[in-house]
Amino acid sequence: MRLSLSVLLVLTMLGASSTVVGQEAPALDHREDFKMNSISGGDFRAYISDAVAEEDAWARSMRTFGTFHNHMHALMTSLARHGVEARGDTAHVPSFGARISGGDWGAYREALGADGAEGPWAELVQITEVMHDRVHHAMFKAVQYDHATRDRTVATDDYIGEGRAPYTSEEAVISPRAQTVRFPEPGALQHAAWHEAGADPHWHLALQQFLVFDELLDKLLHTWARHGDTHAEAACQPAGFGDRVTGDAWANYADALSDCPDDRWRHFVQVSSLMHSRIQHMLTHAVQYHTEYAP
């Protein structure tokens, strides 16, 4: 494979990004390997449509979160189509319609694993599955927090599907520091998307969608940080952020909430930190895969 100067630049930046969050962790987990409560995307959107009518920052963040979830599945669809069209994974990717579901993505990962697939693409598929599940976990916690702190006339049981919430919060929430996560070097993904998208249109689209996904995440974290500032208990407030919540600052905030008496806010921040870390994990591996795939 020919490596242009700009690909070499990305490789150099990726190699420099060796910071990890937390201690060494075991092999990457899957949905059957960790305890997680969740809500479906359709039920999450239905809850917002039925119950969340305000125009304050928290309510807007809930609507942004719904868009964030939809964009995630659009991104995963582009990745799946790249798998079929550019990689020839026709025997591994299950048939799907306008967009791929989390269950179908899990089936894709399992099919690759059954064939012993290894390397950056197989790792990206695996990491994306875990990321997807943590997003649905955070959506569940957002609904719990919203319902507990707002005067809602709907019941959460009407929106949580059967079997989706079998665990207590204490069982399903782990410290963000319990996982090992690398953050992408600033600018690496942007450089790939802007200058070396590759020949496959689905991968080209996925790179642009990665960037938008990261921007939406940045908007969510910033809004949630400002919301944390309004909490009555000082132990629940962030130590302080600037214009952006960068690097592992959100994990630092989650770790600092041990004395916050508001369990629902503490758990929401902790689970959203797990989500944030897995998204960064996915973005880092997207750059790694790109250095091998891009012509």
Side-chain angles (χ1 to χ4, degrees):
M1 179 185 70
R2 177 181 62 86
L3 291 180
S4 68
L5 288 176
S6 47
V7 167
L8 289 173
L9 174 61
V10 173
L11 279 167
T12 300
M13 290 190 292
L14 183 63
S17 180
S18 59
T19 301
V20 297
V21 175
Q23 301 173 348
E24 287 301 316
L28 187 67
D29 49 11
H30 300 127
R31 64 184 59 191
E32 67 270 18
D33 295 328
F34 58 81
K35 295 177 180 179
M36 184 192 78
N37 297 321
S38 69
I39 184 173
S40 75
D43 287 337
F44 185 72
R45 294 190 299 272
Y47 175 84
I48 294 171
S49 297
D50 294 345
V52 183
E54 301 93 338
E55 289 298 332
D56 58 89
W58 169 258
R60 291 196 302 273
S61 80
M62 288 287 282
R63 290 191 283 273
T64 300
F65 208 178
T67 299
F68 181 80
H69 165 267
N70 285 1
H71 184 80
M72 173 185 69
H73 278 275
L75 166 60
M76 292 166 63
T77 298
S78 295
L79 292 175
R81 288 175 175 152
H82 170 70
V84 171
E85 299 295 334
R87 300 188 56 85
D89 287 346
T90 54
H92 299 127
V93 180
S95 177
F96 62 90
R99 70 176 192 173
I100 194 166
S101 68
D104 284 340
W105 190 268
Y108 180 25
R109 188 267 302 168
E110 290 176 358
L112 287 175
D115 279 353
E118 297 179 345
W121 177 253
E123 291 172 1
L124 181 59
V125 171
Q126 184 183 30
I127 291 163
T128 299
E129 181 188 21
V130 177
M131 177 280 305
H132 164 272
D133 291 354
R134 285 305 187 190
V135 170
H136 279 267
H137 192 181
M139 288 159 57
F140 172 82
K141 299 306 294 184
V143 167
Q144 278 198 320
Y145 176 76
D146 178 87
H147 194 268
T149 57
R150 301 291 173 116
D151 187 20
R152 303 303 185 202
T153 59
V154 301
T156 56
D157 288 348
D158 294 337
Y159 300 90
I160 307 299
E162 184 178 356
R164 279 191 168 269
Y167 303 110
T168 66
S169 292
E170 287 71 19
E171 290 175 311
V173 177
I174 65 171
S175 168
R177 298 297 183 184
Q179 57 185 4
T180 299
V181 175
R182 288 173 60 187
F183 286 71
E185 187 71 15
L189 184 63
Q190 185 181 71
H191 182 89
W194 286 7
H195 302 293
E196 294 184 336
D200 176 49
H202 298 300
W203 179 248
H204 183 113
L205 178 58
L207 284 172
Q208 313 306 318
Q209 290 169 320
F210 279 128
L211 290 180
V212 174
F213 197 49
D214 194 37
E215 288 295 329
L216 287 171
L217 177 63
D218 183 81
K219 179 179 180 180
L220 283 171
L221 293 184
H222 180 79
T223 303
W224 293 338
R226 298 286 76 81
H227 183 76
D229 276 336
T230 68
H231 206 288
E233 299 287 342
C236 301
Q237 299 169 1
F241 297 114
D243 293 334
R244 298 186 64 223
V245 183
T246 58
D248 60 355
W250 196 253
N252 291 338
Y253 177 32
D255 276 353
L257 286 176
S258 58
D259 293 331
C260 174
D262 186 343
D263 291 347
R264 289 184 176 86
W265 177 247
R266 184 175 71 252
H267 290 157
F268 170 70
V269 173
Q270 289 171 330
V271 171
S272 65
S273 181
L274 295 172
M275 174 189 77
H276 169 257
S277 295
R278 285 308 179 195
I279 291 172
Q280 300 309 311
H281 197 181
M282 178 186 68
L283 297 179
T284 299
H285 273 73
V287 176
Q288 181 179 350
Y289 171 71
H290 179 78
T291 63
E292 293 200 359
Y293 167 72

